[in-house]
Amino acid sequence: MVTGDDTSALQLTDAPLAARDAEPDLLGELGQRDAPVPLQEGKNFAIDGIHSWKCCHLARIRSKRSEQLAGRTSYAGRMAIEIDHQVEAASNSSGGVPNSIFDQAVDRKRSNSMKWACANDLLTPEQAAADPLPMWVADTDFKAPQVVIDALHEAVDHGVFGYPGGATDSYVEAVSNWQHRRFGWDVPKEWILQTPGIITTLKTAVQAFSAPGDSILIQPPVYGHFHDDILLNGRHLALAPLQRTENGYRFDARTFESAIRPNTKLFILSHPHNPTGNVWTEDELTTMGEICIRRGILVVSDEIHQDLIMNPSKKHVPFASLSDEFARNSITCTAPSKTFNLPGLQSANVFVPHRGLREELLRQYDRNMFPIVNILGMVAAEAAYAHGEPWLEELLTYLRGNHRHFANSVNDATAKVRVLPADSLYLAWMDCRHMGMDAETLNDFMLTTARLWLDKGQKFGIDGHGYMRVNLGCPRSTVDEAIQRLLTAVAET
């Protein structure tokens, strides 16, 4: 825990290096888990008035023509006219969106996609030969918002890709305004550090604020990098498992505090929680925060899924927004990558209110890497945060429909697997323990018999054995195919 006043502003600094936002299974069964170690113009638009994307396209053309007549093309002006013509998508009674832009199937097999093009590298020959449908790693199969694609085209057309000069005023404003609009949280510009990704930040924070042999607190079943990167850096795991309930998981304060050791230095909070989809309440976050302050533990809050709330009755509350004391004892990690499907552009933002923590985090970045962030990633992030909100609202409607369709179809058809309710994420957490298979047998069954490439539960720790994570960030037709393959295979067991 860090105390003291934090009144000095720190000049914005880039904090660099590309990190793979992948999800390798470095621990296998985790038996030694505690040992150190562009949308095409004019296509796919609704014709019934529900969507305004065609209007946006026409407005973009009109804007571009008028600007060209004036002798110059203004991206900001074009975007302003486009956003003026966008309206929020309306959902139908079933929760789906007819003729949605998200129904478009994009062929990713020829795009060097980790998700779609690497089966021969990541699976056994027998598993790859089954040609399983990829629904694993957490990127979606949707094209980025058109406003992002347009901004990237303009940057590419400029043709020069020299070293960037750090975050521009407009970039910082877009990042800060997003937090204010979506969550009511005012983030001063001096708190904001650019990084190439949250995984990079987690590794760097572990190195900066703990020593080899120390322990880091996590809440399994939880994102694999929380396990793997701690062990890779010679730290130990302090495990505070979430408690399984009839319909999901819950936080237990007694379990949480009893997992803390004298050498526990950090708590890495998954917020919302991946893979369970828990959206933490203010009371739960307050309890976690107060325990960490009392025990001298720094909170690193991974809020990369903050925009993807599936249950409309729930809301995301940034951990650091709850009190000045929590803000001073925390590092908040955010990125546009999950929200707008931009992980390959490697751009993230970290909010560090306490000056001392900021400076130490930056020193560790400087020890590890050259402080440069991908210039096209910066362009995409700014466009997404400044102009991508209407697109996000339509995405949320579509994803909620995918979740309902998948869960209802599977749960109504079989008792051998159960899709748990999801309050957040475009990822479903599926309980397969009634299949009566060990973790690796279950994974092989899904790959070779069901012909579905899902994330195996053991990636998320021993508490994930018997579960599978399903990526529903895809067209409804892909979800339908997955349902058919899954239910056919399960019925034959």
Side-chain angles (χ1 to χ4, degrees):
M1 180 179 67
V2 179
T3 59
D5 292 335
D6 180 29
T7 56
S8 301
L10 181 69
Q11 184 176 0
L12 285 172
T13 308
D14 287 341
L17 219 176
R20 290 186 308 141
D21 192 6
E23 302 185 13
D25 181 26
L26 299 180
L27 302 183
E29 293 289 323
L30 287 175
Q32 300 180 10
R33 60 184 182 178
D34 195 31
V37 277
L39 290 174
Q40 297 181 14
E41 301 288 4
K43 296 184 179 180
N44 299 302
F45 296 105
I47 60 175
D48 57 3
I50 292 180
H51 305 290
S52 62
W53 293 94
K54 193 166 187 177
C55 295
C56 298
H57 170 54
L58 294 174
R60 198 157 51 238
I61 293 174
R62 287 194 297 269
S63 174
K64 189 176 296 184
R65 285 174 178 168
S66 63
E67 290 161 355
Q68 288 171 342
L69 288 173
R72 60 182 297 179
T73 301
S74 165
Y75 169 69
R78 189 163 71 248
M79 292 303 99
I81 292 178
E82 177 172 350
I83 296 306
D84 284 343
H85 286 80
Q86 290 181 336
V87 296
E88 294 184 357
S91 61
N92 62 13
S93 59
S94 67
V97 180
N99 303 313
S100 168
I101 58 169
F102 302 108
D103 283 327
Q104 180 186 17
V106 180
D107 184 0
R108 301 184 63 193
K109 292 182 178 179
R110 298 174 180 83
S111 64
N112 194 30
S113 163
M114 176 188 297
K115 182 178 179 183
W116 283 85
C118 295
N120 291 330
D121 298 323
L122 301 176
L123 304 177
T124 68
E126 294 77 16
Q127 291 167 348
D131 192 24
L133 182 64
M135 300 181 74
W136 62 293
V137 66
D139 70 7
T140 73
D141 295 330
F142 305 132
K143 289 188 177 184
Q146 189 62 45
V147 289
V148 172
I149 296 170
D150 287 347
L152 288 170
H153 273 300
E154 184 165 306
V156 170
D157 288 344
H158 181 262
V160 180
F161 308 103
Y163 294 115
T168 63
D169 289 342
S170 60
Y171 177 96
V172 174
E173 183 179 10
V175 171
S176 180
N177 286 347
W178 184 264
Q179 295 298 314
H180 177 77
R181 288 199 311 275
R182 302 297 294 187
F183 313 112
W185 185 28
D186 293 324
V187 178
K189 66 178 183 180
E190 60 267 20
W191 293 4
I192 303 173
L193 305 178
Q194 286 183 296
T195 83
I198 290 179
I199 294 175
T200 303
T201 301
L202 294 178
K203 294 174 189 280
T204 306
V206 166
Q207 295 165 358
F209 304 110
S210 68
D214 286 340
S215 63
I216 312 295
L217 184 65
I218 61 174
Q219 296 173 301
V222 74
Y223 181 46
H225 272 280
F226 287 19
H227 301 265
D228 299 343
D229 292 347
I230 289 170
L231 299 179
L232 283 173
N233 280 285
R235 279 66 169 174
H236 299 276
L237 298 172
L239 301 176
L242 300 180
Q243 292 191 350
R244 183 72 162 84
T245 66
E246 182 179 354
N247 291 314
Y249 293 81
R250 74 178 184 90
F251 163 73
D252 180 75
R254 187 173 301 176
T255 300
F256 184 83
E257 186 157 16
S258 66
I260 297 172
R261 306 174 186 176
N263 66 353
T264 302
K265 304 299 183 184
L266 275 74
F267 166 44
I268 303 181
L269 170 63
S270 184
H271 177 37
H273 190 272
N274 175 15
T276 70
N278 281 53
V279 177
W280 302 120
T281 66
E282 289 191 19
D283 287 345
E284 289 169 329
L285 293 169
T286 298
T287 299
M288 296 177 200
E290 289 176 346
I291 291 172
C292 287
I293 286 175
R294 187 171 68 249
R295 301 294 293 270
I297 296 170
L298 175 66
V299 178
V300 180
S301 185
D302 177 359
E303 304 189 15
I304 193 170
H305 294 282
Q306 62 180 189
D307 299 312
L308 299 167
I309 304 303
M310 295 297 110
N311 184 342
S313 69
K314 303 282 186 176
K315 67 174 184 177
H316 176 79
V317 179
F319 174 81
S321 71
L322 289 173
S323 74
D324 290 341
E325 190 175 25
F326 285 5
R328 290 193 299 271
N329 191 52
S330 65
I331 295 170
T332 299
C333 304
T334 70
S337 54
K338 303 301 183 189
T339 307
F340 299 103
N341 201 29
L342 305 173
L345 291 176
Q346 294 293 289
S347 177
N349 300 284
V350 180
F351 310 141
V352 193
H354 193 284
R355 179 186 176 189
L357 293 179
R358 278 200 307 272
E359 292 178 343
E360 185 54 41
L361 189 64
L362 287 171
R363 276 193 293 270
Q364 189 61 43
Y365 271 120
D366 286 340
R367 294 183 190 109
N368 291 351
M369 59 195 76
F370 182 54
I372 290 292
V373 175
N374 186 306
I375 192 167
L376 294 180
M378 293 163 57
V379 168
E382 180 176 346
Y385 283 141
H387 308 297
E389 201 159 11
W391 182 94
L392 171 59
E393 290 303 322
E394 186 170 356
L395 173 70
L396 290 172
T397 298
Y398 193 88
L399 291 174
R400 287 164 183 157
N402 274 0
H403 267 287
R404 281 192 295 272
H405 179 50
F406 183 73
N408 291 341
S409 298
V410 173
N411 293 343
D412 289 348
T414 180
K416 292 183 179 179
V417 298
R418 182 175 177 228
V419 182
L420 299 181
D423 286 337
S424 67
L425 319 180
Y426 52 72
L427 310 164
W429 189 234
M430 188 164 65
D431 186 348
C432 306
R433 291 176 296 171
H434 286 297
M435 294 289 291
M437 302 177 182
D438 63 58
E440 283 302 328
T441 301
L442 174 63
N443 184 53
D444 192 68
F445 169 84
M446 290 296 177
L447 287 164
T448 60
T449 303
R451 297 178 55 239
L452 293 173
W453 189 355
L454 312 178
D455 268 318
K456 54 188 178 182
Q458 54 267 44
K459 271 188 171 183
F460 306 91
I462 197 168
D463 302 272
H465 284 220
Y467 294 80
M468 303 296 290
R469 194 185 74 173
V470 188
N471 186 338
L472 299 177
C474 55
R476 192 69 46 82
S477 59
T478 303
V479 178
D480 286 335
E481 178 65 20
I483 293 168
Q484 188 273 326
R485 292 189 186 196
L486 176 65
L487 294 180
T488 298
V490 167
E492 295 173 353
T493 59

